[in-house]
Amino acid sequence: MRSPQADVRHSASSWRQPCPPEASVERSELVEEIAKRILALGQGRLLVGIDGFTAAGKTSFGHELAEWISAAGRPVLRATLDDFKKPWRDRHLYDRESGEGYYRNAYDYEAVKRLLLDPCRSSGATTCALCSIDPLTQRDHASEVTPLGVDAVLIVDGVFAFRPEINEYWDFRIWLQVDAELSVQRGAERDQDWAGTEAESIHRNRYLVAERIYLQEVDPLPMMDVVIDNSVFARPHVVAP
């Protein structure tokens, strides 16, 4: 008998991206394959990290996994590392706008551990926070907690998800692969509403530079449980086990 559908709980952030449109048969089959691999890890809480270049499709893939896993009867928590950046009011204390400054300084790894990852790893914890600072409004959501079931699956997307500061937390690691130029193009189109004519420059000179530092220093791809080419949304495919 099929398990009743469980809840998917999302961050309160206004930066939250919408669920993607109905997927192609090929995409649905791939999502199902990865979801089954995650669930095969067993009972108890599971932590899944999804990484890749900016605009590689991490959030959409996370939403799709969440829907499949919840339909299989496991409660899901959805979070993004963008909701755990340091507040803009403190940016005068450090460089956050160059590529290297963004990589070194933008994210608050202590907050993501304290509010989200440590509670999910603690058998005694019953709540966690899915958002620290809203990237758009700068509202502090750290005190807004979400129930944390004993068999919850936490799916977190974000760049630099496998940096040494937080890499040890993940039970399953996913890398979404796209070409650097496609990342810039997609990101600039997505972010024109808030970045305007600067969108392409921000993606090329800040985010892409930061991501190349990450690849050079951390070399995350060999750690992956699966690498997926997500260049064509309707036809993603596994390129490395």
Side-chain angles (χ1 to χ4, degrees):
M1 186 172 65
R2 186 177 176 85
S3 301
Q5 181 150 349
D7 290 336
V8 180
R9 297 182 181 272
H10 289 270
S11 164
S13 170
S14 63
W15 181 246
R16 179 178 150 195
Q17 303 297 305
C19 292
E22 186 173 346
S24 65
V25 172
E26 292 163 89
R27 189 172 183 88
S28 296
E29 289 175 348
L30 179 59
V31 170
E32 179 178 353
E33 174 190 340
I34 303 305
K36 286 179 175 178
R37 286 184 60 184
I38 293 167
L39 292 178
L41 295 174
Q43 298 301 309
R45 293 178 191 153
L46 297 173
L47 279 65
V48 179
I50 305 175
D51 202 341
F53 280 7
T54 300
K58 300 181 293 296
T59 300
S60 292
F61 197 80
H63 287 339
E64 291 168 298
L65 274 180
E67 289 301 316
W68 202 98
I69 291 171
S70 69
R74 292 283 290 272
V76 181
L77 305 177
R78 281 289 287 119
T80 176
L81 293 177
D82 282 339
D83 291 340
F84 293 87
K85 288 180 176 176
K86 297 174 184 176
W88 268 107
R89 66 173 181 268
D90 295 337
R91 65 187 181 276
H92 65 285
L93 301 175
Y94 49 79
D95 168 25
R96 180 168 160 174
E97 299 189 25
S98 71
E100 180 159 5
Y102 186 79
Y103 178 65
R104 306 281 179 212
N105 304 316
Y107 288 86
D108 188 344
Y109 295 105
E110 290 306 313
V112 75
K113 288 190 287 186
R114 174 172 48 85
L115 298 172
L116 180 64
L117 300 179
D118 282 335
C120 286
R121 271 287 168 248
S122 170
S123 60
T126 57
T127 63
C128 66
L130 297 178
C131 179
S132 177
I133 304 293
D134 187 307
L136 295 181
T137 67
Q138 292 296 287
R139 178 179 171 185
D140 188 339
H141 291 276
S143 63
E144 300 174 22
V145 296
T146 296
L148 184 55
V150 295
D151 60 345
V153 178
L154 172 68
I155 301 175
V156 182
D157 63 82
V159 295
F160 321 142
F162 308 120
R163 281 179 57 146
E165 293 91 334
I166 57 174
N167 181 54
E168 66 181 352
Y169 287 91
W170 310 114
D171 297 301
F172 197 88
R173 297 168 177 83
I174 301 169
W175 183 272
L176 293 187
Q177 181 171 294
V178 299
D179 178 77
E181 283 302 313
L182 181 57
S183 164
V184 171
Q185 175 189 331
R186 282 183 179 176
E189 291 173 356
R190 182 193 67 191
D191 294 341
Q192 276 188 342
D193 286 348
W194 67 266
T197 58
E198 298 296 313
E200 181 175 346
S201 175
I202 290 171
H203 279 269
R204 188 178 303 283
N205 300 322
R206 183 187 304 170
Y207 301 155
L208 187 56
V209 170
E211 287 153 3
R212 284 173 168 156
I213 295 171
Y214 174 50
L215 291 178
Q216 181 176 4
E217 292 192 358
V218 177
D219 190 21
L221 269 71
M223 309 174 194
M224 298 304 108
D225 293 285
V226 65
V227 177
I228 298 168
D229 187 318
N230 200 42
S231 302
V232 179
F233 187 84
R235 299 193 301 277
H237 58 276
V238 173
V239 294

